[in-house]
Amino acid sequence: MERITSHSSKHSEDINKALQWQPKPLRTRKRNETIMRTLMLIALYCTISFLFILAGSIINNAFGYVLFTYEIHPTEFSQGGEINELSHAKKIAILKENLRERVYITLDRKKPMEKRSSQDLSAIIFSRVLKASVLEAYSLFESLFQRGQLIENALTYPNADLIFRSWISPRFIRGEQSTNPLESGIWGAITGSVGVILVTILFSFPLGIGTAVYLCEYMPRSRWKNLLQINIYNLSGVPSIIYGLLGLVVFVRVFLPITSGQLFGFTSGAATDSGRTILSAGLTLTLLILPVIVINTQEAILSVPTYIKQASYGLGATKWQTVWHHIIPYCIGRILTGTILSVSRAIGETAPLVVVGASTFLTIVPNSIFSKYTTLPIQIYQWSARPQQEFQNLAAGAILVLLTIMLTLNFIAIMYRKRVQKKLARL
Amino acid sequence: MADSTTNFSQKQASLEKKTRIGESLIHVVLFACALCSIFTTVGIVVILASQSALFFADPQVTLLGFFTSFEWQPSIGKFGILPLLNATLLTSFIAVVFATPFAILVAIFLSEFTKPRIKAIIKPILEVLAGIPSVVYGYFAVGTVTPVLQRVFGSDTVEFYNTASAGIVIGILILPILITMIDDSLTSVPNNLREASFGLGATRLQTSFGVVIPGSFSGIAAAFILGFSRAIGETMIVALAAGAGSALTWNPFRGAETMTGYIVRISGGDISYNSIDYNSIFAIGLVLFLATLGLNIISRRIVKKYQWNV
């Protein structure tokens, strides 16, 4: 009884409160709305500006002045200090004169000096004879706005050159890795990345589509199907480094004879006797992106209208004929778009590859899937981890290359999606 | 022509199910594909568990000490996960705190205050932000955010490797996920609720905070749980920016190694298989796996349970 009265008294209190309630004046409400709207816009601009700050910090480091010194200054060989302007014969003469005999013969044996390009020769002169080394490197911001200070600073060093340098250049892209930041390149890393991604595509594409088709079209609705779906969703949320641990044990250690190529007799060249090969890295990334591809493909298959399936079955087609001739062609655009996007994410993946043992320093270009390898993100990681400015510059250059590759892939995916959508709209 | 029709009518059409070898073969192949995902899960669990078992079998390690000891120094035989766990929670906490105001405000703006046309411009920008590899964010943390922090707070208080910088950049990394998920859950609130609120004379703002946000509270909570789980599993940013060397500290301006950072540092160096260091990364991986799995499951449960059924 008491409870009821207390309840009803609270109720009447509420009613009284409601009766006494006055709406806030119109002006206050308008003011509040304006304030919050401004805050939201600020938040939005901040979010977008993160992207621009990130881009700016990359570009800031990709170009800038470098102060470097030579062991032998180029003016000793040419009056203007321009090695590039020397004649072919003169360059060979310089090399013959300044290199130790054994080094010269080795280089000559690799590729005869006379047949080498002029640029190639000057590159060798730079690295072997002049031996340029970085004293200080600057960011683009410093190069533009503190130029006077930099020049003053440069004058205090004898025998040093201050040159504005783009850290991303054809030589950087085609060059081999080196301990000297002025000569270091990323060709090995690019080849490694491409190799790993090709292996990943080769395995993940059929496996992913196969799984999705099985789940959507073949598997009867049951508890097991539910379990499988939940399992795939959970896998897509597992941190990438865990896949690295999985790959380390399964592909690098247990499947060693296969992933190292010993089983197939690959032991020469850049091949290793350990399982730390392009193949095991590609397989690890396959497991990593498989759940995402399956989820994507399932969505694509579910978007196929039922009447298409029913028409096909109605004409007496078998299950596989329906899938192969009607369902997959209908949604191949969406499947491919999703796959390309997840592959482009795999290109940027670093943590699992560190765990499965990408090489940190590698001067040879991988030549088979059983080779040692390094990839672009691994290079970026190695260079970013070093505090000196010149390595930050190298990292920025490599990031620009990586982002260009990824953006190109994304662009292809978007264009492809548009084209397929247009085609479907005409159907 | 006539011949074939008569032939057809004479022949009894068999309605029995034909056995098609090709079809069943394809069925088996597809089934094998689907098994791969099961094997992946089983593989992860078995490998993490078995290698961790090796780790805990070592006489230097005790299960109790692993979870309660305050020091992680494998070289002198001290294995307490708390410093690593603490650093992981600290960076993730900073990340979520940093991202929250941006995520909520931008999501409300996108779903309640703007036209679809503008949303169509902003969404791709968020997609680009979400597609940038985490190692690039790591470079950003070391090369840009840390120097800025040092300039603002003084380089005496801010160490070069610090959890604040890593946390902030992880916050930027999870921002697109948070915005997309919160926006989705706000948009899924039925329109008649909004219209009822407008009909009572409420402003857009009052409707957003009084009706739409309470109506999608579970979705927002799920988004934050998922974001937190992503932050815990994030590796490259903390490996680059948060420092190497475990430390039990709540000071965000000091360096402290996280669980993922430790795994990367140990596996990146040359260690021999079956050493205690090697086994320890699997024990930490197991803790990481269980934590993220738990958070993801909770997040999905919440979304499933409190969906609007329109």
Side-chain angles (χ1 to χ4, degrees), chain A residues 33-304:
Chain A
E33 179 127 358
T34 322
I35 292 173
M36 280 310 280
R37 199 182 267 264
T38 325
L39 279 181
M40 285 174 194
L41 275 178
I42 291 174
L44 182 64
Y45 289 137
C46 280
T47 307
I48 295 174
S49 69
F50 289 141
L51 188 60
F52 287 101
I53 295 172
L54 182 61
S57 83
I58 295 165
I59 290 172
N60 186 28
N61 274 339
F63 307 94
Y65 277 111
V66 197
L67 182 65
F68 56 95
T69 178
Y70 300 100
E71 247 172 42
I72 303 172
H73 202 267
T75 39
E76 287 190 22
F77 301 118
S78 78
Q79 298 231 309
E82 281 291 327
I83 294 290
N84 274 330
E85 284 167 11
L86 295 174
S87 67
H88 206 234
K90 177 89 199 240
K91 279 180 188 170
I92 295 174
I94 292 174
L95 282 176
K96 217 169 214 172
E97 206 175 296
N98 290 283
L99 285 181
R100 262 181 295 157
E101 202 169 336
R102 199 184 300 157
V103 178
Y104 183 85
I105 291 172
T106 330
L107 281 174
D108 201 50
R109 209 171 283 160
K110 246 190 206 168
K111 195 177 177 189
M113 287 296 175
E114 282 75 23
K115 282 186 188 162
R116 283 173 188 256
S117 71
S118 188
Q119 262 181 333
D120 195 10
L121 286 180
S122 21
I124 296 174
I125 293 178
F126 263 107
S127 63
R128 307 260 176 163
V129 180
L130 305 179
K131 287 185 186 161
S133 61
V134 177
L135 287 170
E136 262 171 69
Y138 304 99
S139 64
L140 185 64
F141 182 83
E142 288 168 322
S143 308
L144 291 180
F145 298 105
Q146 298 163 7
R147 203 158 160 251
Q149 220 174 316
L150 299 192
I151 292 171
E152 256 173 52
N153 190 23
L155 291 177
T156 59
Y157 292 99
N159 221 13
D161 272 7
L162 188 67
I163 283 181
F164 190 85
R165 180 184 165 98
S166 157
W167 287 87
I168 177 167
S169 62
R171 220 178 120 198
F172 175 68
I173 290 170
R174 290 291 319 217
E176 284 166 1
Q177 211 180 337
S178 150
T179 45
N180 186 348
L182 284 175
E183 293 155 23
S184 208
I186 51 169
W187 189 242
I190 292 177
T191 345
S193 272
V194 170
V196 170
I197 284 306
L198 285 181
V199 172
T200 307
I201 294 173
L202 194 70
F203 284 96
S204 66
F205 195 61
L207 271 179
I209 294 184
T211 308
V213 166
Y214 184 76
L215 278 173
C216 287
E217 298 298 324
Y218 282 77
M219 201 170 188
R221 199 175 275 191
S222 66
R223 235 178 53 211
W224 292 108
K225 183 173 176 176
N226 240 334
L227 208 69
L228 203 55
Q229 297 275 24
I230 292 173
N231 174 41
I232 288 170
Y233 271 103
N234 284 336
L235 277 179
S236 71
V238 171
S240 59
I241 194 163
I242 303 285
Y243 284 98
L245 292 176
L246 177 69
L248 176 62
V249 172
V250 174
F251 299 128
V252 178
R253 291 187 64 191
V254 177
F255 287 164
L256 179 108
I258 297 173
T259 51
S260 68
Q262 285 167 354
L263 206 62
F264 315 105
F266 272 89
T267 41
S268 60
T272 58
D273 52 351
S274 77
R276 307 183 164 210
T277 57
I278 288 184
L279 182 61
S280 58
L283 288 173
T284 307
L285 288 188
T286 300
L287 293 186
L288 174 69
I289 63 169
L290 201 54
V292 188
I293 292 184
V294 172
I295 292 171
N296 249 320
T297 312
Q298 269 186 299
E299 271 171 25
I301 291 177
L302 287 179
S303 76
V304 177

Side-chain angles (χ1 to χ4, degrees), chain B residues 203-222:
Chain B
T203 60
R204 230 172 239 284
L205 187 71
Q206 286 172 319
T207 309
S208 309
F209 280 90
V211 176
V212 180
I213 291 187
S216 57
F217 192 75
S218 60
I220 298 175

Side-chain angles (χ1 to χ4, degrees), chain A residues 29 33 36 46 51 54 57 61 211 214 218 228 231 237 239 242 249-250 253 318 320 350 355 381 399 406, chain B residues 20 23 26-27 31 33 37-38 41 47 102 129 131-132 135 139-140 144 201 203-205 278 282 285 292 296:
Chain A
R29 291 166 63 184
E33 179 127 358
M36 280 310 280
C46 280
L51 188 60
L54 182 61
S57 83
N61 274 339
T211 308
Y214 184 76
Y218 282 77
L228 203 55
N231 174 41
I242 303 285
V249 172
V250 174
R253 291 187 64 191
T318 63
W320 178 247
T350 323
V355 177
Y381 170 52
I399 286 174
M406 290 180 65
Chain B
R20 294 171 197 270
E23 288 282 319
I26 284 164
H27 196 123
F31 179 68
C33 288
S37 78
I38 299 278
T41 315
I47 281 161
F102 295 107
L129 209 55
I132 291 172
V135 71
Y139 156 88
F140 181 59
T144 309
T203 60
R204 230 172 239 284
L205 187 71
Y278 176 81
F282 289 92
T292 49
N296 289 350

Side-chain angles (χ1 to χ4, degrees), chain B residues 191-235:
Chain B
N191 238 347
N192 49 16
L193 288 183
R194 285 191 194 91
E195 278 153 11
S197 169
F198 290 144
L200 286 170
T203 60
R204 230 172 239 284
L205 187 71
Q206 286 172 319
T207 309
S208 309
F209 280 90
V211 176
V212 180
I213 291 187
S216 57
F217 192 75
S218 60
I220 298 175
F224 278 107
I225 295 172
L226 191 74
F228 196 75
S229 131
R230 285 283 163 89
I232 288 179
E234 178 42 51
T235 309

Side-chain angles (χ1 to χ4, degrees), chain B residues 228-289:
Chain B
F228 196 75
S229 131
R230 285 283 163 89
I232 288 179
E234 178 42 51
T235 309
M236 292 328 288
I237 297 174
V238 290
L240 280 166
S246 64
L248 190 65
T249 172
W250 277 104
N251 182 353
F253 294 137
R254 283 196 52 202
E257 190 164 50
T258 66
M259 296 197 286
T260 48
Y262 176 76
I263 297 178
V264 162
R265 181 168 63 87
I266 294 301
S267 55
D270 279 328
I271 49 159
S272 49
Y273 298 143
N274 298 327
S275 66
I276 184 94
D277 276 352
Y278 176 81
N279 289 335
S280 73
I281 62 176
F282 289 92
I284 290 170
L286 185 64
V287 174
L288 187 69
F289 174 69

Side-chain angles (χ1 to χ4, degrees), chain B residues 51-302:
Chain B
Q51 299 284 335
S52 307
L54 286 180
F55 173 70
F56 288 118
D58 195 282
Q60 290 174 294
V61 188
T62 57
L63 197 58
L64 187 70
F66 183 67
F67 287 108
T68 53
S69 152
F70 291 106
E71 240 179 303
W72 180 268
Q73 301 287 351
S75 51
I76 53 168
K78 294 204 167 169
F79 297 93
I81 200 177
L82 281 181
L84 302 179
L85 194 63
N86 176 65
T88 295
L89 292 178
L90 184 60
T91 47
S92 313
F93 184 70
I94 294 170
V96 171
V97 167
F98 178 80
T100 301
F102 295 107
I104 297 240
L105 286 173
V106 172
I108 294 175
F109 182 79
L110 286 184
S111 88
E112 305 297 319
F113 281 79
T114 190
K115 298 180 194 106
R117 198 163 49 87
I118 294 172
K119 206 170 164 177
I121 300 173
I122 294 166
K123 277 270 165 120
I125 297 179
L126 291 178
E127 271 169 32
V128 171
L129 209 55
I132 291 172
S134 68
V135 71
V136 177
Y137 279 109
Y139 156 88
F140 181 59
V142 174
T144 309
V145 178
T146 302
V148 168
L149 284 178
Q150 281 186 329
R151 192 162 290 183
V152 174
F153 296 101
S155 46
D156 304 331
T157 47
V158 184
E159 290 177 9
F160 184 72
Y161 294 111
N162 62 76
T163 43
S165 151
I168 289 172
V169 178
I170 296 176
I172 298 176
L173 177 90
I174 61 173
L175 199 49
I177 310 165
L178 286 180
I179 293 176
T180 316
M181 270 190 83
I182 296 175
D183 178 43
D184 284 349
S185 79
L186 290 180
T187 328
S188 75
V189 172
N191 238 347
N192 49 16
L193 288 183
R194 285 191 194 91
E195 278 153 11
S197 169
F198 290 144
L200 286 170
T203 60
R204 230 172 239 284
L205 187 71
Q206 286 172 319
T207 309
S208 309
F209 280 90
V211 176
V212 180
I213 291 187
S216 57
F217 192 75
S218 60
I220 298 175
F224 278 107
I225 295 172
L226 191 74
F228 196 75
S229 131
R230 285 283 163 89
I232 288 179
E234 178 42 51
T235 309
M236 292 328 288
I237 297 174
V238 290
L240 280 166
S246 64
L248 190 65
T249 172
W250 277 104
N251 182 353
F253 294 137
R254 283 196 52 202
E257 190 164 50
T258 66
M259 296 197 286
T260 48
Y262 176 76
I263 297 178
V264 162
R265 181 168 63 87
I266 294 301
S267 55
D270 279 328
I271 49 159
S272 49
Y273 298 143
N274 298 327
S275 66
I276 184 94
D277 276 352
Y278 176 81
N279 289 335
S280 73
I281 62 176
F282 289 92
I284 290 170
L286 185 64
V287 174
L288 187 69
F289 174 69
L290 292 179
T292 49
L293 187 70
L295 287 174
N296 289 350
I297 289 176
I298 292 172
S299 167
R300 266 178 65 76
R301 277 271 167 87
I302 291 177

